[in-house]
Structures are given as C-alpha cells and as structure tokens.
Amino acid sequence: MFKFIETYQLDIMLALSAACLSFVVLLFFTRFLDKSRRIILIALEITAMLLLYFDRMAYVYRGDVSHTGYVLVRLSNFFVFFLTSQTVFVFDLYLIYLLSSETRAARVPRRLYVTGGIAAAGMLLAIIAHFTGLYYYFDENNVYHRGPGFLICYIIPVLCPLIQYTVVRQYKKTLSKLVYTSLVLYIFVPITFGLIQIFAYGISIVNMAMVLVSISLYIFTYLDVNDEVVRAHEIEMEDLKRERKNARKLFDETATAFVAAIEKRDAFSEGHSKRVAKYSKQIAEIAGKTKDECEEVYYAGLLHDVGLVGIPDSILKKQGALTEEEELIIKERPIIGGEILSNISQFKYLKDTVTYSHERYDGSGYPEGRKGKEIPEYARIVAVADAFDSMTKKNRYRDSLPYLTVRERFVTNAGISFDPKFSEIMVELMDKDSSYKEDEDAFKKLENEITVGKYREVISTGIHVKPQITKVNFKCEPKETEGEEFSLPSLVIFDSFDRRVHDNEKAIGAYHYLEYGELWFDGHYVSTGARNMEVHVAEEGLTPEGEYYLEAARFEDHFSLKLRSHDKAFDAIMALPDKSKSVYIGLTGENCRLYDISAVRTEVSIGEGDIKKIVNEESFIDRLESDIKNIQIDRSRSDATEGIRIEDAHKIEFHTLSLPSASFIWHCPYIVIYSSEDKKVFGEGYREYSLIKINGECTGEDEKAKNHFSMKKDDDFKGWENWKDANKQGMECSVRFNKRGNKVILMTENLGIHIENETTIPEDSGEVYIALTGDQVALTDIRVR
C-alpha cells in the first residue's frame, strides 16, 4: 500500500486537491446550509486543498536548485506547517458553531477557546520555525530535512483534536449520529496517520488523510441535512395527516349531528343514514374500491337523505297513504339534498350521489330518469344500501321484511332497480352475515311473561323446533276477570319468516305464514295446515300445581310434542306439508298469565323411527328414471345426484319440477362442479369449485378456483313470476359443459335466462365431477350424453 502511495502520491494529491476545490464550488452554491456553517466549511475545504496543494509543490520542487525551485520549496513547506495548525483552528470554529447553533448549548466549553488559542500559537510558531530551522531545514541541493524540533509541530495537531474530542463526546447525545461520526473521523483519522507518518518518512499520508476527512465532513453534513429534511417532511406529513384526520373527524361529527337532527323529526328514520353509510362502505370495499373511495362512499351514504330537511312534517309523519301531490313533494328530496351539498365544492361527489341516489338502473327512478352507467357509481352503491336498510327495518307503513324476501328482491331486481354488480355484492353480504338471517340465539328473545285476555290476544315469539329436543317450562295462573271465565294456556304451531303469528292477509303473504294447528293443555286440538295430526293421552309425567311443561322435536316432515300439566298429559304427532317447512311454537291461551317462561334446546337429537309416521312422505319423483337416479330435494342441497366425471360427458338433460312449497326464484336446480375421493357431493376430501343456480346465481367455495360468470336475459324471459310458475309446472332443462385444460366451460338456457360460466380448476384438484342438486325441487329423467 505504502509503495503504491509513494509511486502515485503526486497524482493522488492533485486529484484530492481538485476534489476539495469541487466541494468548495458546491458549498458556494449550496442553499440548504445557513451562512455561518457554509463559510466555515468552505474555509475547511480551502485549507485542506491548499495544504495538500503546497505539500505536493514541496515534493515537485524538491532538489530543484533553480531560483523558482528555491522559492517554491520554502514557500510550500511553510504553508504545509502553517495550514496544519490553521486546520485545527478552523475545525475549532466549526465545533463552536455546532454547539451554539445545533445543540443550543447554554455556553461553549472553555476548552474550545483554549484549543483555538493553541492553534493560533501553532500558526505563529510555524512562522518562527520557517526562519529558525526549528521544524525543518534545506541542504545545498534544496532538499528538505526534518529539524531538531520537528516533533513539536505534531503536538498541536494531536493534542488539540484530543481536547476537541472531549467536547464532542460530552455533547454526543445532542448531536445527530452522522454529525458525530464525521467529527470523530475528522479528529482521529489524521492523528492515526500522523503517528504512522513519524515512521513513514517520504510520503504525505497525514495531509492526504486531512483532505479526505475534510471531504467526508461535507458529505456527512449533506447527509445529515438530508435526514433533517426527510424528518421535517415526515413531521410535516404527520401534521398534515393529523390535520386531515381532525378535519375528517370534525366533518364526520358535523355530518352525523346534522343527519341525526333531521332524523329526529321521524322516529322511524333514526339511525337509517348511518346504517346506509356502513352498508355502502362494505359494498365499496368488496367491489375493490380504494380506502379513500370507500370513505367517500360512506359520507355519500350518510348524507343521502339530507333533502328530508325540506319536506314538511305533515308529509313525513302522515299516517296512511300519500296523495299524488305529496308523492311529488317527497320526490323533491334528492334535488333539495343536492342543492344543499352543492355548497361543499371540494366534495362534488356528495352532491352527485345525493341527487341521483333515487335513480333506478332501468331508468324508472327520479329526478331525471337516468339509467345504467349514466347514474354516478356512488349513487348506484348508495341506492342498494338504502333499499336494503329500508326493507329490513320497520317503517310507518309496514314491519321489516324477512331475510329471504329481501334477498329475492335484490336477485330479481338486479339490472332493473339496481346495478347488477352491487346487487350481487349485497346478496353476498347477506349470505355471509348471519345477523341478516334468523337469530339462532332466539331463546334470548323469548318473552319471560305474557298476559292473555281474549283467546290469542297475545302470542309469544315462536320457539324454533329442530331435530334436537327442545324443552319448555312455564307457570300459569288465571287472569282476574269479572265472573268465572274459561282460563287455560294453549299453543299455536306455525311457520313464519319472522317467528311471529299473523292474522292479516298482507302480513301472511309477506312472511309466508302458515299455521299447522292449535293445541290446548286439556287435550283439545285443531289441525289446519298440517296433513294430519294425532293426540293421545299419556300415562305419566304430571307436573306440580300451576306448572306446565312441553317437549318438542321434528324429523323430516313429522313433528312430535309432549304436553304436561298438573292434571293432564298428552302426546301429539303432526305431519307437516313437506320436509322444507320450519316449525315454531307460540305460547298463548285465554284469560291467563304465563310467567317464568324458559326454553332450552338439548343436545339430544331424534332420528329415523323416533316419531311414528302418520302419513306417507309425499313424493314428486315417481316418474321415468333414466341414466341417473331421480332425486327430490326438500331443503337447500339436502340431496344430490351421483357425480359424473367431466371428461366422460358433455351434456346433461333432465326434467325439473319445483315443489309446492317452493316460494323463491332460487327454489330450482343447481349445478355443482367439485372433486372428492368418493365422487360424492360433500364426500371425503370434498372441494367445491362452483355452484350455479339456473336462476342466475353463482358461488364457489374453493379459494384457489376462479369463476368467470355471466347471465343474460333475452326476449323469452317474461318476468320472474312467470319463471317461477313455469318451474312449478315442470320443464325440461339442458346443461352443456366441456373441459379444456384446467378450465371447465358450462352453458345452459332456461326460459330466456342464458348462463355461461368458466371455472378455472386448481392444479391439485384431481378428478373433477359435475352433479345436480337444488332447493325444493324434484329432478327426474336425468340423461347423460
């Protein structure tokens, strides 16, 4: 290494001097440093540049006996020794600046002023040494030699930096890591090379090192300032985020308070806007919108009904139907809302969403009759969320609609009232979120006490009966009446989407209410919707005075019930219309108070043979049987055909008949594409890749499978009611499919509904099968081609 430096040191010295000059120019144009710091750094770089330049000149003219050589050798060596002390002096000034400006030190340590004085004395001593030969002398050949006091010149560049280091160390915690590192390097690198220099005569490694650390001082300063800029930017961004968050919070609180004030005018509207905002955001998230877009949709949903502020109370709170004129006034609310929000120019989407959130996809909405993509996207999302909340909550004119009814409306109105994409997402949300469905923890909602006057004047919430045995206990006492009135508890056995007994025609239709019969605790009964009913006296199980007990369970289309009181014991069996129906028990009576009501569902289930069959199962598959066995599917996917290997066929034809109990459009055949070890649906190692309902719905359970689904309607489609009627009358269906690589393409057309689906099967799927299943449908005459 030393041999290399010795050989090329003049070139190295020239290059380093040029580098120093370049940094001087850069510092001259630098604007990110304050003036004082920039001047000191320029002085350091110039000192280092001149130090190395004159050191190089001393080597160049060494041994040159000409007049020029004589002058330049002496001048160069003088400046080398003089600038060495000057370097210490300027560095001392730099430390004083850092402590004063960067660390905000209360006062600068005296040590720095002492080292500054010593450095100044060193410069004076360099002048004296030049004339006395203390540090160096020249022979007759104009060659430099060390003088008797040469080592004295090393005291200042070694001692002073060590003192300076004590100051740097003292203020380490107040200096940035980069600045601290640059100062330590500036102090110790020259000292280290100075010690080496004592024994390495003939090369100028100390001055080279001095130039290098001077350059590094600028570089580290630049990096430190850059970090400061980055930190300042981060702080600024955090402040901006905080301000934005605070502004959003203020906007949220203001908007929420404004909406709440409007909704206070109508008890049925309270909380509506906030729920619409929540549903809108959920739809946007599933649709793949960005976080900012989801937030915008949320606030658009929150403010979608602000136009109600312009609707008179006489209309908002009116009991009964609105007149045509009042309907027109109600339809002004999106326009009023849009005008209110038009003043928020920064959020134009609010005005557009509110103005067009009552438009319909087919153009039948208001205020402008826009259709399809002419309606702003946020408005199409809010329209779906608004419809969902309106249907699932009670209003002035009706009770909330049941889950299945709401679901069907979104399916049937996709592409009519609602954007198909967002309608499909709403259905997906409903299917995933059990809070939209029947509450499985319904026993918590069961009344603890009811008081009944006239017969069936009050009926409890229905107790859901399942294959697991349910036990119900309550106490009963006669209600105080004038004279001796008949008093006895009784039961109503029924099915209803909302677990309530209904007696008006509109509610019966909306909640698909069906009453099977009534039972009294004296053994009397009335059978209405049941296919048959038997009641027998039991020989044991009486209860204490005033206490009543019943035990219920169902298996497929039969329902058993045990009734016990203090003086009577009966067992009942009821044959339901079919397997698809649910069973609820409502507690009621006549002139009595039922209290301490409790219901518990046990873990004991009944099965085949536990309930006596009082009627034969009604079958709808006594028809021609072809390649595959006929199946009757009484409940969603309760049965399925055997699997057909995709490669072995290209077409399935069959006859379908919706059961009499079928009510919804998805009560129809389904096609399932899957794999399993035993070829069965839900068999060993079951993986489902797609489930296609011929009403135009598609789902897939396997995360690795992908489905590209499309459904179109042509002129043969005459509406969903006609579609359901045709399914109940029975019709022929055909499903075509083929496998290309790892893709399965499936096509079918039924009553004007064209379905095409491409399923990408995972590579680790093994054999892939296709099978038929469905919901409340009979599939017969199944032919495989």
Side-chain angles (χ1 to χ4, degrees):
M1 175 63 75
F2 287 111
K3 185 67 177 175
F4 176 83
I5 294 174
E6 186 177 4
T7 304
Y8 297 101
Q9 81 168 323
L10 294 180
D11 294 332
I12 295 171
M13 294 166 80
L14 183 63
L16 290 175
S17 296
C20 267
L21 181 61
S22 301
F23 282 107
V24 169
V25 175
L26 287 174
L27 280 165
F28 183 78
F29 291 105
T30 295
R31 292 292 177 266
F32 60 80
L33 297 174
D34 64 58
K35 186 177 180 181
S36 297
R37 190 173 188 179
R38 189 155 52 90
I39 289 173
I40 294 172
L41 285 173
I42 288 174
L44 275 172
E45 296 296 334
I46 290 176
T47 301
M49 177 191 72
L50 292 175
L51 176 64
L52 198 59
Y53 175 76
F54 282 116
D55 198 10
R56 181 179 184 277
M57 293 295 290
Y59 278 99
V60 170
Y61 287 97
R62 179 184 180 185
D64 187 342
V65 294
S66 68
H67 178 71
T68 301
Y70 182 88
V71 172
L72 287 178
V73 164
R74 283 157 178 75
L75 187 63
S76 296
N77 279 280
F78 165 72
F79 275 112
V80 166
F81 286 93
F82 181 87
L83 292 173
T84 299
S85 294
Q86 181 176 311
T87 301
V88 175
F89 182 80
V90 178
F91 183 66
D92 201 69
L93 293 177
Y94 185 63
L95 289 178
I96 292 172
Y97 164 81
L98 288 177
L99 295 180
S100 302
S101 303
E102 299 296 314
T103 67
R104 307 294 181 187
R107 64 187 183 85
V108 176
R110 290 181 181 178
R111 300 192 299 279
L112 289 183
Y113 294 116
V114 172
T115 54
I118 293 173
M123 289 186 282
L124 179 62
L125 198 59
I127 296 173
I128 295 171
H130 180 69
F131 295 102
T132 61
L134 180 64
Y135 291 166
Y136 54 87
Y137 66 92
F138 303 94
D139 60 19
E140 64 277 7
N141 294 318
N142 201 27
V143 176
Y144 164 91
H145 295 279
R146 291 177 177 177
F150 174 77
L151 291 178
I152 298 174
C153 73
Y154 271 87
I155 295 174
I156 292 172
V158 171
L159 178 64
C160 289
L162 290 175
I163 296 172
Q164 290 168 339
Y165 175 70
T166 64
V167 176
V168 172
R169 183 70 183 176
Q170 179 182 346
Y171 290 92
K172 178 182 178 180
K173 292 183 178 179
T174 61
L175 297 168
S176 71
K177 287 184 179 180
L178 288 171
V179 169
Y180 177 78
T181 302
S182 68
L183 297 178
V184 171
L185 288 174
Y186 195 89
I187 291 169
F188 285 106
V189 170
I191 291 176
T192 302
F193 280 94
L195 295 174
I196 297 172
Q197 180 77 74
I198 295 173
F199 307 100
Y201 184 74
I203 57 174
S204 189
I205 56 175
V206 173
N207 293 335
M208 291 183 194
M210 187 67 70
V211 170
L212 287 172
V213 293
S214 296
I215 292 172
S216 73
L217 199 65
Y218 170 81
I219 294 172
F220 277 95
T221 300
Y222 177 83
L223 293 174
D224 179 60
V225 172
N226 187 62
D227 282 354
E228 285 293 330
V229 171
V230 171
R231 283 194 292 271
H233 177 69
E234 289 174 350
I235 292 170
E236 184 180 5
M237 291 304 296
E238 286 298 321
D239 289 341
L240 287 172
K241 288 179 181 178
R242 194 178 299 110
E243 289 176 9
R244 183 180 178 186
K245 185 178 179 180
N246 292 336
R248 188 177 290 277
K249 182 181 178 184
L250 179 62
F251 177 74
D252 179 71
E253 291 174 348
T254 304
T256 302
F258 178 48
V259 168
I262 296 172
E263 291 180 344
K264 281 287 183 184
R265 298 172 62 200
D266 180 15
F268 291 102
S269 296
E270 287 192 48
H272 168 69
S273 294
K274 200 153 191 177
R275 291 191 298 271
V276 170
K278 182 183 77 171
Y279 300 143
S280 298
K281 185 177 181 180
Q282 289 176 336
I283 294 170
E285 287 172 343
I286 294 176
K289 299 300 176 187
T290 65
K291 184 177 179 181
D292 287 342
E293 288 173 330
C294 291
E295 287 296 317
E296 290 175 353
V297 171
Y298 175 87
Y299 288 111
L302 184 66
L303 295 168
H304 80 285
D305 251 353
V306 294
L308 287 174
V309 73
I311 306 300
D313 284 349
S314 58
I315 296 178
L316 279 181
K317 299 180 179 180
K318 182 178 179 179
Q319 301 290 341
L322 300 177
T323 65
E324 187 175 338
E325 184 179 347
E326 289 168 337
E327 288 279 3
L328 291 175
I329 293 174
I330 283 288
K331 288 183 177 181
E332 289 292 316
R333 60 180 170 163
I335 299 174
I336 296 170
E339 290 173 351
I340 292 171
L341 296 175
S342 64
N343 295 313
I344 309 177
S345 57
Q346 190 174 355
F347 304 129
K348 186 177 179 295
Y349 68 87
L350 291 174
K351 171 184 177 295
D352 292 342
T353 303
V354 170
T355 302
Y356 301 111
S357 62
H358 288 80
E359 298 286 4
R360 293 295 172 257
Y361 203 74
D362 63 354
S364 62
Y366 60 90
E368 296 180 8
R370 292 192 178 195
K371 62 181 179 179
K373 299 301 173 63
E374 296 173 359
I375 307 167
E377 187 175 39
Y378 289 1
R380 285 179 270 139
I381 293 174
V382 171
V384 171
D386 183 27
F388 174 76
D389 191 68
S390 297
M391 286 189 280
T392 55
K393 293 295 179 289
K394 183 178 180 179
N395 62 30
R396 195 176 300 282
Y397 312 107
R398 57 153 177 80
D399 286 333
S400 60
L401 298 179
Y403 157 78
L404 293 175
T405 301
V406 175
R407 187 186 191 281
E408 183 176 59
R409 291 195 181 181
F410 278 113
V411 175
T412 57
N413 283 285
I416 301 174
S417 296
F418 312 117
D419 185 312
K421 176 182 177 181
F422 303 129
S423 181
E424 181 181 342
I425 291 174
M426 189 71 250
V427 171
E428 180 183 339
L429 277 171
M430 292 176 68
D431 289 345
K432 285 181 178 179
D433 195 333
S434 61
S435 66
Y436 298 141
K437 302 181 182 180
E438 179 188 348
D439 186 0
E440 290 298 325
D441 200 15
F443 291 152
K444 291 182 179 179
K445 297 184 179 181
L446 180 64
E447 298 85 345
N448 180 256
E449 177 182 328
I450 59 172
T451 300
V452 189
K454 295 179 181 179
Y455 178 59
R456 293 180 56 155
E457 184 178 54
V458 178
I459 305 174
S460 75
T461 303
I463 301 167
H464 197 182
V465 180
K466 294 189 172 185
Q468 297 89 357
I469 295 173
T470 299
K471 297 180 178 181
V472 182
N473 293 276
F474 63 90
K475 296 177 182 177
C476 181
E477 63 182 17
K479 179 185 176 185
E480 293 184 6
T481 58
E482 296 180 3
E484 294 187 5
E485 297 283 350
F486 175 77
S487 175
L488 191 69
S490 62
L491 310 175
V492 180
I493 315 300
F494 67 95
D495 182 17
S496 176
F497 286 166
D498 67 346
R499 299 169 45 240
R500 292 283 184 182
V501 173
H502 296 283
D503 56 10
N504 72 75
E505 187 176 340
K506 190 173 182 180
I508 288 172
Y511 295 100
H512 291 244
Y513 178 76
L514 175 61
E515 191 167 305
Y516 304 130
E518 303 165 90
L519 286 90
W520 283 261
F521 275 81
D522 62 1
H524 289 85
Y525 68 92
V526 173
S527 177
T528 48
R531 285 194 288 155
N532 194 10
M533 187 171 180
E534 291 183 1
V535 177
H536 303 283
V537 176
E539 296 180 357
E540 57 181 22
L542 298 182
T543 62
E545 181 75 27
E547 294 185 13
Y548 293 81
Y549 169 80
L550 65 93
E551 186 178 292
R554 62 93 49 93
F555 181 75
E556 295 188 343
D557 60 348
H558 276 64
F559 161 68
S560 69
L561 188 64
K562 295 179 180 180
L563 287 80
R564 302 291 186 264
S565 66
H566 64 278
D567 61 347
K568 302 282 186 180
F570 297 96
D571 292 339
I573 298 175
M574 180 182 289
L576 305 174
D578 55 60
K579 297 177 184 178
S580 68
K581 299 299 182 186
S582 295
V583 181
Y584 296 94
I585 299 173
L587 304 180
T588 185
E590 187 173 358
N591 297 315
C592 58
R593 183 175 79 95
L594 283 63
Y595 61 100
D596 289 347
I597 302 171
S598 67
V600 176
R601 181 172 292 129
T602 70
E603 295 182 359
V604 179
S605 297
I606 63 171
E608 186 77 41
D610 290 332
I611 301 178
K612 174 188 172 185
K613 289 268 189 179
I614 57 176
V615 295
N616 292 325
E617 180 181 336
E618 192 169 5
S619 175
F620 295 91
I621 56 175
D622 293 332
R623 299 182 78 253
L624 176 66
E625 195 166 85
S626 296
D627 299 327
I628 293 179
K629 183 181 177 182
N630 297 342
I631 58 171
Q632 180 170 317
I633 310 160
D634 297 287
R635 296 177 303 280
S636 179
R637 305 187 65 180
S638 60
D639 201 357
T641 65
E642 64 183 71
I644 304 162
R645 204 167 73 103
I646 291 286
E647 288 86 350
D648 294 342
H650 298 285
K651 188 176 184 181
I652 302 176
E653 297 173 328
F654 57 94
H655 183 272
T656 175
L657 175 71
S658 293
L659 303 183
S661 58
S663 306
F664 298 102
I665 61 171
W666 55 81
H667 291 160
C668 64
Y670 304 165
I671 304 110
V672 59
I673 297 174
Y674 68 98
S675 62
S676 70
E677 295 172 11
D678 57 6
K679 304 182 182 180
K680 296 179 181 178
V681 175
F682 302 129
E684 289 293 325
Y686 182 75
R687 294 176 65 181
E688 186 168 298
Y689 306 123
S690 67
L691 177 72
I692 299 160
K693 305 176 183 180
I694 68 167
N695 66 298
E697 296 183 67
C698 176
T699 60
E701 290 187 354
D702 195 291
E703 294 180 355
K704 294 182 179 180
K706 293 181 180 179
N707 287 285
H708 183 70
F709 179 82
S710 68
M711 187 269 280
K712 297 178 182 178
K713 301 171 187 173
D714 63 20
D715 293 339
D716 291 335
F717 181 73
K718 304 302 180 184
W720 287 110
E721 289 304 318
N722 288 332
W723 195 87
K724 286 195 286 188
D725 289 342
N727 274 270
K728 284 207 171 187
Q729 293 169 13
M731 65 179 186
E732 290 294 317
C733 285
S734 174
V735 179
R736 302 185 306 279
F737 54 92
N738 62 79
K739 190 169 185 285
R740 299 172 186 169
N742 67 332
K743 298 181 186 297
V744 176
I745 294 90
L746 182 146
M747 292 169 286
T748 183
E749 185 277 323
N750 303 283
L751 302 174
I753 295 179
H754 294 263
I755 293 172
E756 184 170 341
N757 185 63
E758 181 183 271
T759 303
T760 302
I761 307 295
E763 293 181 0
D764 60 346
S765 62
E767 295 288 356
V768 179
Y769 302 94
I770 187 169
L772 300 178
T773 181
D775 190 357
Q776 299 190 37
V777 66
L779 306 179
T780 57
D781 191 19
I782 305 170
R783 288 121 30 219
V784 180
R785 301 287 184 264

